[in-house]
Amino acid sequence: MAATPTIAIAYDFDGTLSPGSMQEHSFIPEIGEEIGAFWGRVNGEAARLGADNILIYMHEMVKAAQREDVRFRREDIERHGASVGFFPGVAEGWFQRLRDYGAARGVRVQHYIISSGLKEMIAASAVGDQFDAIFASEFKYNADDVPVWAASAVNYTNKTQFLFRINKGALDLSDHTEVNAYVPEDDRPVPFRNMIYVGDGDTDVPCMRTVKEQGGVSIAVHPAGDAKGAEKTAKLKTDRRVHFTTDADYSDGSKLDAYVKAAIDKMVAVERLKALER
């Protein structure tokens, strides 16, 4: 292989790398509300208005903090991000282990987040510095770092655009020209055949299908011992949305670890064949 091929692994965040939703780890407890009550209000308001759930949850976070007189500035959001917990193995070397695994086989492995959660919280989490880019919802702040508006909202329907941004190397969200420009697949920084998507549920289906249908690998995970979660991911496989389902265990030697490494091996072999064909 003349140049170093790139393999991109894109992850959902909530329920994929981290149990539950990121707001549940410390923000909702800090405002003194039950988790079910907070999300019930969000979903009810979204249904009443016919609105985007993502925009509504962001607004509800701001309103709840104001109502309970809880400080809610950028640094507080980042503080909540630092308290987020992870599934086994995520914060214990998963990302670097795969970078090393790829490097030993002559490829570059990159990691990306595509999430409806808050970018500020993800970036401040224990693994925030492990990603080549984080595509997630984000607040607009005033001069005092108080959130006043939604700068971006990532939902299940617009998640797929970020796959194409990774595919074409168009990571600047303000640039709409590069992501829409025609580039032959083999000339793109990350061909879809070199892409792996890891998610956990219905909101990931568009990304799972896109990656799978374009020649990449899609994986659905669920918490270990969660029968309902296992049933949901099994249906994703039955419906041909994903190639593989397993526990959300990112430890060295886990089934997920073995499958992702096997997928990397396959992609390396295909790249060698492509190089010989040129």
Side-chain angles (χ1 to χ4, degrees):
M1 294 178 283
T4 303
T6 298
I7 292 172
I9 308 177
Y11 310 82
D12 175 45
F13 193 86
D14 292 343
T16 298
L17 296 177
S18 174
S21 297
M22 60 184 69
Q23 294 82 2
E24 298 170 6
H25 292 252
S26 67
F27 172 76
I28 295 177
E30 188 166 289
I31 61 172
E33 188 165 19
E34 293 293 325
I35 291 171
F38 178 84
W39 293 117
R41 190 170 66 255
V42 168
N43 294 332
E45 186 75 352
R48 183 180 71 83
L49 297 173
D52 189 316
N53 283 64
I54 310 307
L55 291 169
I56 295 298
Y57 96 63
M58 295 173 74
H59 189 211
E60 285 296 326
M61 289 181 75
V62 174
K63 289 198 303 180
Q66 291 173 341
R67 184 177 64 249
E68 301 301 326
D69 196 25
V70 171
R71 180 185 162 100
F72 193 63
R73 297 182 180 178
R74 184 194 293 267
E75 64 185 67
D76 302 299
I77 297 171
E78 292 172 346
R79 171 173 54 83
H80 289 303
S83 73
V84 170
F86 294 94
F87 285 119
V90 172
E92 289 78 44
W94 165 264
F95 303 101
Q96 188 59 49
R97 186 165 68 248
L98 292 184
R99 281 192 288 265
D100 293 343
Y101 188 85
R105 286 151 184 80
V107 296
R108 181 186 301 108
V109 174
Q110 296 179 336
H111 301 280
Y112 295 88
I113 288 291
I114 304 177
S115 170
S116 296
L118 291 176
K119 181 176 181 179
E120 299 94 321
M121 290 182 69
I122 296 169
S125 74
V127 298
D129 62 350
Q130 295 296 310
F131 305 110
D132 291 83
I134 298 172
F135 301 112
S137 303
E138 189 173 6
F139 284 113
K140 179 181 184 297
Y141 298 88
N142 65 17
D144 296 318
D145 272 347
V146 175
V148 294
W149 203 258
S152 64
V154 176
N155 59 37
Y156 75 98
T157 55
N158 67 19
K159 272 187 170 186
T160 55
Q161 71 158 301
F162 303 109
L163 295 175
F164 286 93
R165 287 189 175 278
I166 296 167
N167 171 241
K168 292 185 174 181
L171 305 184
D172 180 357
L173 299 188
S174 66
D175 186 346
H176 303 294
T177 302
E178 190 175 5
V179 72
N180 290 310
Y182 172 73
V183 181
E185 182 68 12
D186 284 346
D187 294 337
R188 298 180 185 188
V190 188
F192 272 101
R193 65 175 179 269
N194 287 353
M195 200 174 290
I196 300 170
Y197 186 83
V198 187
D200 70 292
D202 295 339
T203 59
D204 296 304
V205 166
C207 284
M208 290 170 171
R209 287 193 61 180
T210 297
V211 171
K212 186 173 184 287
E213 291 173 0
Q214 294 290 329
V217 172
S218 289
I219 300 168
V221 297
H222 54 265
D226 182 349
K228 187 175 180 180
E231 182 180 349
K232 181 170 66 174
T233 57
K235 188 175 188 305
L236 290 172
K237 187 175 181 181
T238 299
D239 293 343
R240 300 183 181 180
R241 308 296 179 88
V242 299
H243 294 92
F244 183 68
T245 70
T246 189
D247 293 346
D249 182 356
Y250 297 77
S251 304
D252 192 10
S254 68
K255 290 182 179 179
L256 179 60
D257 179 73
Y259 191 84
V260 170
K261 287 176 177 176
I264 291 172
D265 290 340
K266 178 183 177 181
M267 292 170 183
V268 169
V270 170
E271 286 303 314
R272 285 176 178 155
L273 289 172
K274 289 283 184 182
L276 292 170
E277 293 166 2
R278 293 188 182 99

